Amino acid sequence: RRHASALTDHPVYWTREQRGEEAATWLLFDHKHQYLRETSIRADDRSPLVRAFCVPRHAVDDSPTGERMLLLLALALMESHGIRTVVTDIAELAGTPGFVFDRRRTAITATWIGADGIWYADVTDNRTTVRGYDDAAGYAINHSINDGPSPRARLRAFAEYLQLKWSTLAVRCAELGEWGAAGIAQPRSRLLSVDGFDRACRYLGSVDQRGD
């Protein structure tokens, strides 16, 4: 967040998570959910924010059903904040670090996954680096495996890629979202909350019911 002022244009985000275990942080950590709320303020109907993922086929095949569901819910949480999600399955892009760039001259790299558990963040205006990020994000946007005109279309397409049964999942999420997860699991840490998880469940269930 502290580097956000370095960006001069509408940003595009690249999210490093490829499995549900990694993506669960968006659903359970308060500061991650707050970050989505704050960044979504930049979004509007004409220029929606874009958050890109790379989820190679092998990451799907190696993940149990529960983890694949968590990954889908993480994208549902982002879509609920007006952030358009795009996913590429190109394995060559799997090692791309998490970044945000403004399509002009500045990029912020911020990630811990795959970095020996050490968090690092950096701001760069190196043309080669920024061009590489632009190419990666541009490919994901233009060749998205979950491309669709609406959140429901994008989430349903991603569910199919994850080999999840959309109709059953949508019903279960609607039911769980209505009752909330607090009665099942109540985190004791002040850093954790089920608010993001509940919001994602409600949203996924509601877009299916509305047919958005």
Side-chain angles (χ1 to χ4, degrees):
R1 296 180 192 175
R2 65 178 181 273
H3 296 303
S5 60
L7 302 175
T8 60
D9 198 4
H10 212 59
V12 174
Y13 298 82
W14 182 278
T15 305
R16 182 70 172 81
E17 289 85 352
Q18 299 173 8
R19 293 175 169 82
E21 181 181 9
E22 301 161 349
T25 58
W26 292 101
L27 302 169
L28 299 175
F29 279 86
D30 263 346
H31 75 280
K32 300 278 278 188
H33 194 192
Q34 180 62 27
Y35 174 64
L36 288 180
R37 292 193 196 98
E38 293 175 359
T39 55
S40 67
I41 295 174
R42 293 173 176 257
D44 57 58
D45 293 336
R46 291 181 299 176
S47 301
L49 288 183
V50 175
R51 190 172 279 275
F53 289 75
C54 177
V55 183
R57 184 76 253 170
H58 69 80
V60 176
D61 294 339
D62 293 343
S63 297
T65 302
E67 282 209 37
R68 285 179 271 136
M69 292 172 63
L70 288 173
L71 184 56
L72 178 64
L73 285 174
L75 269 69
L77 179 62
M78 294 169 187
E79 291 277 0
S80 78
H81 285 287
I83 300 170
R84 177 189 167 202
T85 58
V86 298
V87 183
T88 178
D89 61 350
I90 299 301
E92 289 78 4
L93 296 176
T96 305
F99 66 80
V100 53
F101 81 113
D102 61 9
R103 291 180 177 269
R104 289 181 181 270
R105 57 184 177 83
T106 306
I108 301 171
T109 302
T111 189
W112 59 266
I113 298 172
D116 298 322
I118 300 174
W119 173 263
Y120 66 90
D122 187 32
V123 179
T124 182
D125 58 2
N126 179 276
R127 290 186 178 182
T128 301
T129 300
V130 174
R131 187 179 301 114
Y133 291 162
D134 191 13
D135 289 344
Y139 187 90
I141 292 170
N142 294 314
H143 302 87
S144 177
I145 61 172
N146 69 323
D147 186 38
S150 67
R152 179 180 184 273
R154 291 189 289 273
L155 291 172
R156 183 164 187 166
F158 190 47
E160 292 177 358
Y161 176 70
L162 295 175
Q163 300 176 352
L164 297 172
K165 189 173 181 179
W166 172 263
S167 58
T168 301
L169 184 61
V171 171
R172 295 292 180 265
C173 282
E175 294 173 346
L176 186 55
E178 180 180 356
W179 290 99
I184 302 173
Q186 184 61 53
R188 295 185 178 183
S189 171
R190 61 182 178 81
L191 302 177
L192 300 175
S193 169
V194 295
D195 290 349
F197 179 83
D198 285 345
R199 180 184 175 111
C201 287
R202 287 194 300 269
Y203 184 76
L204 193 150
S206 68
V207 295
D208 184 66
Q209 292 171 354
R210 297 195 309 265
D212 291 355

